[in-house]
Amino acid sequence: MTTTLSYTQLFAFTEAVFRGIGCPHEDATLATETLLSADLRGVDSHGVARLIGYIRLWEAGRINATPRVGVTYETPSTAVVDGDGGLGLVVGPRAMKVALDKARQVGSGWVSVKNSNHFGIAGYHAMKALPHDMIGVAMTNASPLVAPTYSLERLLGTNPIAVAVPAGEQPDFVLDMATTTAANGKLEIAQRKNLPIPEGWAQDAAGTGSTDANAVKNGGALLPLGGATGSHKGYGLGAVVDIFSAVLSGANYGPWVPPFVAFLQPSANPVGQGLGHFFGAMRVDAFRPADEFKAHMDNWIATFRAAQAVESRHVLIPGDPERETSAVRLLEGIPLLEPVIRDLETVGAKFGVKL
């Protein structure tokens, strides 16, 4: 069962909740826009379904609703940003702005972030570069739920990578992917629907592949992208994200990354501050004229989209499904599962906000 709510209705509710925990108006609006971008784009695992998780972290004293986000170290093209324990939904966009500002000045900007929290979907942040004729990059490390190849221990997060590239007449290219076979949020959706998960998503506590949506909750682990014969590739990509996001900035990395769920405590011996992100922005005209580049991107996209495909299928460009879903949901509303509705009603009751 699902209930469909308009984007406007959901935005007003979510913004009021963030105001309820003490976020300044500007931060509450920014956090809401960042969070709901996931619901609009069909990434339901990372949207308002996670709102209750942020509130529980705030209640546990692990989120600062009024952070002083600032640069602690910089060169003309690089910076480290300290998120001051704030919502990643706020810290992320502000850090991406630093990368964009540096790119305007010197051609590219690269920002590593520490002392932050979960920042929503990576694609939202990378796409901030598109209106400026820039290429955007966004990564983040995450709670350790992933077993590296041959490991029984959970040492990495789903550690997504997003790259957004502007086009001209064609829709922009937007890659947004976890470095695991599936993000943990997809297991959470399967749990709510009481459904099994596909093979290759997770292993149980003994290291055996499992289709149980609760396998990770019961001591198992998510699996890196690549499956039985290629998981070393996903493991490698996830490791790069962890290093760029945290080892570089001074955030926690590997098994020390603080868990998103409030009922699990962060490590008593952290190696850094909070969790980390990494952002990049590159001005297209630092390489070639932007119009010329975008014309060739149009040709690239059109060529791939027109490729001969297997029966009853067609070749997609990264970003196509999300863009199409966003257009529909802006008009028709956002469908939410009943467990999510119940969670939102619980959150709303805490702050006197009606859904």
Side-chain angles (χ1 to χ4, degrees):
M1 292 289 293
T2 62
T3 299
T4 299
L5 301 178
S6 72
Y7 176 76
T8 302
Q9 181 182 0
L10 207 49
F11 195 103
F13 172 85
T14 306
E15 184 180 41
V17 169
F18 282 131
R19 291 292 301 275
I21 69 171
C23 290
H25 180 76
E26 182 180 351
D27 285 10
T29 301
L30 180 57
T32 301
E33 178 186 305
T34 309
L35 187 65
L36 293 192
S37 69
D39 295 291
L40 275 182
R41 294 177 67 77
V43 190
D44 298 331
S45 57
H46 284 55
V48 290
R50 291 199 173 227
L51 181 59
I52 195 168
Y54 291 107
I55 301 309
R56 287 171 175 163
L57 286 175
W58 171 78
E59 290 173 330
R62 288 171 50 193
I63 283 181
N64 177 8
T66 57
R68 300 183 66 179
V69 181
V71 173
T72 61
Y73 183 86
E74 65 181 325
T75 72
S77 63
T78 66
V80 172
V81 166
D82 187 330
D84 194 26
L87 285 161
L89 304 168
V90 171
V91 176
R94 290 187 176 172
M96 186 60 182
K97 183 179 183 302
V98 174
L100 292 169
D101 289 344
K102 288 184 175 294
R104 288 189 191 95
Q105 295 297 317
V106 297
S108 69
W110 304 95
V111 176
S112 195
V113 180
K114 64 180 178 180
N115 205 7
S116 187
N117 284 283
H118 192 282
F119 75 174
I121 57 169
Y124 171 84
H125 305 286
M127 290 172 67
K128 287 293 184 182
L130 295 175
H132 308 287
D133 281 348
M134 296 187 196
I135 295 170
V137 177
M139 310 177 192
T140 185
N141 68 1
S143 307
L145 297 173
V146 182
T149 304
Y150 304 135
S151 175
L152 290 176
E153 294 187 55
R154 304 192 302 202
L155 297 175
L156 288 172
T158 53
N159 294 8
I161 299 171
V163 179
V165 183
E169 298 299 321
Q170 291 284 346
D172 300 317
F173 175 106
V174 182
L175 173 71
D176 186 356
M177 55 172 258
T179 54
T180 49
T181 306
N184 187 53
K186 291 188 176 180
L187 271 70
E188 293 171 349
I189 291 173
Q191 290 161 18
R192 294 187 193 108
K193 294 181 176 181
N194 196 29
L195 295 173
I197 57 173
E199 292 184 4
W201 282 22
Q203 67 183 30
D204 62 21
T208 303
S210 176
T211 60
D212 181 1
N214 294 294
V216 177
K217 290 174 65 176
N218 294 331
L222 292 173
L223 294 174
L225 184 66
T229 59
S231 67
H232 60 287
K233 297 178 181 180
Y235 166 33
L237 289 171
V240 167
V241 173
D242 203 31
I243 293 165
F244 281 22
S245 299
V247 180
L248 199 56
S249 68
N252 288 292
Y253 47 81
W256 291 279
V257 176
F260 181 74
V261 292
F263 61 83
L264 294 177
Q265 293 300 311
S267 171
N269 300 294
V271 293
Q273 294 177 282
L275 59 72
H277 318 308
F278 185 79
F279 301 102
M282 295 181 288
R283 249 178 39 212
V284 168
D285 66 4
F287 297 87
R288 67 189 299 188
D291 288 345
E292 181 180 293
F293 170 83
K294 290 194 291 184
H296 281 278
M297 273 304 300
D298 283 350
N299 186 48
W300 189 97
I301 291 169
T303 300
F304 277 70
R305 201 186 300 283
Q308 185 175 355
V310 298
E311 186 178 355
S312 76
R313 309 290 295 196
H314 63 280
V315 177
L316 294 170
I317 304 301
D320 278 352
E322 296 88 346
R323 174 178 50 81
E324 293 165 4
T325 299
S326 182
V328 170
R329 290 188 171 186
L330 276 172
L331 289 174
E332 299 180 2
I334 296 168
L336 301 176
L337 294 171
E338 289 307 311
V340 175
I341 292 291
R342 290 195 295 271
D343 282 349
L344 295 181
E345 289 172 342
T346 299
V347 168
K350 293 177 182 287
F351 303 102
V353 180
K354 288 189 176 182
L355 189 60

